[in-house]
Amino acid sequence: MTTPLVHTTRLTAAYRRYLQSANSCRFAHEVDESYTSATLLALLGRGVVEQRRAAALALGMLGDRRSVDALGRAISDDDRGVRLVADDSFRAVLVRDAAPLHHQQLLRVMHLNDGGEYAAALSPALILIDQAPTYAEAHHQLAICWHGLEDFVRAERAYQNCLWHCRFHYLAWQSLAKIRYLNGNLEKALQALDYCLDINPDLETARMQRRQIRRRMRQSDV
């Protein structure tokens, strides 16, 4: 119970220095010398605002898959600053949650998907999932491939696989809602968007999707 309190001043001081210098290497080193991941996770969940921001930032640099759920929950924190930092850290941990070789393979797939080269990304994405089946972001990138190729059945399955491995992946929930909307399953699309916004209440594009679906549902009732 006392460990987080012993280190609170060090964490706050390191965080303030980081805000002044933007020296992420120094911040990570200072935190790593004084904290365990368990302490950072405890501070993220119950610390004061500055501690939660600092813990979220540190976990993005030093955390592993054990940090994912806590960071996912912090994306809906009462403080907007905590939410923003936790979101960045959550995505950073998801992307590197694999062996270095698989991480590099994922970056290649992401680059192809970002460029709209879905067909080219498909084969390396399938190979990556075969090699690292629990890699949530790999499933998400495969889903993006299928989505871009308009194979909505496989896309929906891949988004669901991503969410099986990481239930806080709000972008997968949002994209799953798009697939369900295209398939005319409006109720389940709304359900997916509700999950998405519970995780990330700041995602305005999801709110716009939800309003669009509700308008369509009202029109169909007329």
Side-chain angles (χ1 to χ4, degrees), residues 34-213:
S34 301
Y35 293 87
T36 65
S37 292
T39 302
L40 292 172
L41 289 169
L43 286 170
L44 179 63
R46 66 170 184 259
V48 298
V49 167
E50 193 173 29
Q51 294 167 358
R52 299 202 305 276
R53 291 180 182 180
L57 179 65
L59 287 166
M61 299 175 184
L62 303 169
D64 54 26
R65 67 176 55 195
R66 292 170 295 181
S67 310
V68 169
D69 283 3
L71 287 167
R73 284 188 290 270
I75 298 172
S76 60
D77 191 275
D78 291 339
D79 175 70
R80 179 171 172 77
V82 174
R83 296 199 300 270
L84 292 173
V85 177
D87 186 13
D88 287 343
S89 293
F90 172 78
R91 287 183 286 163
V93 173
L94 275 184
V95 168
R96 69 167 186 263
D97 182 27
L101 175 61
H102 298 149
H103 180 206
Q104 290 303 312
Q105 291 173 321
L106 178 74
L107 293 179
R108 180 188 171 206
V109 172
M110 292 174 70
H111 176 73
L112 291 169
N113 276 338
D114 288 345
E117 299 181 58
Y118 305 116
L122 182 58
S123 179
L126 288 167
I127 292 170
L128 175 57
I129 286 172
D130 185 60
Q131 295 173 344
T134 63
Y135 198 177
E137 187 57 32
H139 288 281
H140 182 231
Q141 293 300 318
L142 176 62
I144 292 172
C145 293
W146 289 126
H147 199 158
L149 294 170
E150 299 186 355
D151 189 330
F152 300 138
V153 172
R154 286 190 175 94
E156 180 169 7
R157 187 180 307 127
Y159 285 127
Q160 290 172 333
N161 286 338
C162 169
L163 291 164
W164 175 260
H165 294 292
C166 179
R167 64 191 176 95
F168 289 100
H169 202 306
Y170 61 86
L171 291 177
W173 282 116
Q174 184 181 22
S175 295
L176 181 60
K178 292 178 184 177
I179 295 290
R180 290 174 172 176
Y181 177 80
L182 291 170
N183 288 334
N185 198 336
L186 304 187
E187 289 288 351
K188 285 197 172 182
L190 277 180
Q191 184 184 63
L193 288 171
D194 286 341
Y195 284 129
C196 172
L197 287 165
D198 283 344
I199 298 165
N200 187 348
D202 297 322
L203 195 61
E204 186 58 31
T205 54
R207 295 190 188 281
M208 292 172 61
Q209 281 177 253
R210 191 164 63 177
R211 288 194 293 269
Q212 179 186 15
I213 293 171

Side-chain angles (χ1 to χ4, degrees), residues 13-28:
Y15 181 62
R16 291 174 181 173
R17 283 192 292 271
Y18 168 78
L19 293 179
Q20 292 292 324
S21 67
N23 189 332
S24 56
C25 291
R26 178 183 178 184
F27 174 75

